Amino acid sequence: MRALRVLVADDQDLFRGGFAMILNAHDDITVVGEAADGAEAIAKAVELRPDVVLMDIRMPGVDGVEATAEVCRRTTAKVLVLTMYDVDEYVYDALRAGAGGFLLKDVRRDELVRAVRLVAAGESLLAPSVTRRLIADVVGRGRARPGLRRRLDELTGREIDTLRLLAQGRSNAEIAAELLVSEHTVKTHVSNLLTKLDLRDRAQAVVFAYESGLVVPGDD
């Protein structure tokens, strides 16, 4: 089985080296490169074609948000952003730009490894409590885009139900139980709604659900 190829981008040597050491300790993960700023992250992502880019959100020059957008536009790599704070508007912008999820920099070793594997497999890493607080904070400051709601007309009723539950942090199994369908059916609904709304992954679907007003902060 081919090892996952990871690029680590962080302007702090200590974090960059530490993350690389943790990941390289696993047989199924190989750190193929390191970058000290956003511009270098973009260049190395294009050159090395990693499966996952571990991206610090706040770097000098080209920051993590701009770098995430470029990496997602120019490669097929999944981006996992890193932040020091659980409420960070930069992270929200990175999710909109295509990041598959985010981690706090004080993440435990096992959680870091699990996150890289999940994002590489196409899953989105969204801790529900942190993500909902982040989005509620940003949307609460006027970032909602009500005009997006018209695009919901492209979805079936079941796809809308799936999007609403997905945005509330539910797993496929939990959505299946709520809608009384199989997990395979849920995966089909998710795939269809991502295609119809031209979204990259589940992380962008969560952002869309809040910005369109389908889900509002405080919804259970």
Side-chain angles (χ1 to χ4, degrees):
M1 192 176 190
R2 184 177 72 85
L4 297 175
R5 296 166 56 81
V6 179
L7 171 66
V8 179
D10 196 301
D11 63 316
Q12 298 184 52
D13 290 343
L14 184 61
F15 280 113
R16 196 168 64 246
F19 290 137
M21 181 182 66
I22 291 168
L23 295 173
N24 275 329
H26 296 265
D27 293 339
D28 62 330
I29 300 175
T30 299
V31 174
V32 296
E34 297 182 17
D37 57 46
E40 188 178 10
I42 295 166
K44 287 197 171 181
V46 171
E47 174 192 354
L48 301 172
R49 297 291 167 175
D51 300 300
V52 176
V53 178
L54 202 58
M55 182 85 74
D56 182 19
I57 202 65
R58 293 175 182 257
M59 293 185 287
V62 177
D63 65 24
V65 175
E66 185 178 347
T68 293
E70 280 299 299
V71 169
C72 290
R73 185 178 69 84
R74 298 172 62 179
T75 78
T76 59
K78 310 293 185 182
V79 177
L80 185 57
V81 297
L82 296 164
T83 178
M84 293 291 291
Y85 313 102
D86 59 0
V87 175
D88 186 338
E89 188 169 349
Y90 282 80
V91 174
Y92 181 86
D93 290 335
L95 292 174
R96 288 187 64 196
F102 67 93
L103 289 173
L104 297 179
K105 280 194 170 182
D106 62 358
V107 63
R108 296 199 314 264
R109 294 182 178 214
D110 59 327
E111 291 177 341
L112 173 65
V113 174
R114 174 179 172 272
V116 167
R117 289 170 177 156
L118 279 175
V119 170
E123 296 292 329
S124 294
L125 191 79
L126 297 169
S129 60
V130 176
T131 302
R132 292 172 70 179
R133 187 162 67 250
L134 166 71
I135 295 176
D137 177 69
V138 177
V139 171
R141 282 185 274 144
R143 292 285 295 278
R145 300 161 64 195
L148 291 179
R149 195 172 185 89
R150 290 190 297 273
R151 296 183 59 192
L152 294 173
D153 294 339
E154 302 172 32
L155 305 182
T156 66
R158 274 305 197 193
E159 289 163 357
I160 289 176
D161 291 339
T162 300
L163 177 58
R164 183 180 290 110
L165 293 170
L166 188 157
Q168 292 173 357
R170 309 287 187 90
S171 67
N172 284 347
E174 291 169 335
I175 295 173
E178 178 78 17
L179 300 182
L180 302 177
V181 298
S182 69
E183 285 190 53
H184 176 75
T185 298
V186 172
K187 290 178 181 177
T188 299
H189 288 330
V190 172
S191 177
N192 288 343
L193 70 88
L194 292 178
T195 299
K196 290 179 179 179
L197 298 175
D198 193 26
L199 302 173
R200 180 181 173 95
D201 55 26
R202 294 167 72 104
Q204 285 198 320
V206 171
V207 172
F208 179 93
Y210 277 90
E211 288 194 334
S212 67
L214 177 66
V215 176
V216 298
D219 273 0
D220 185 0

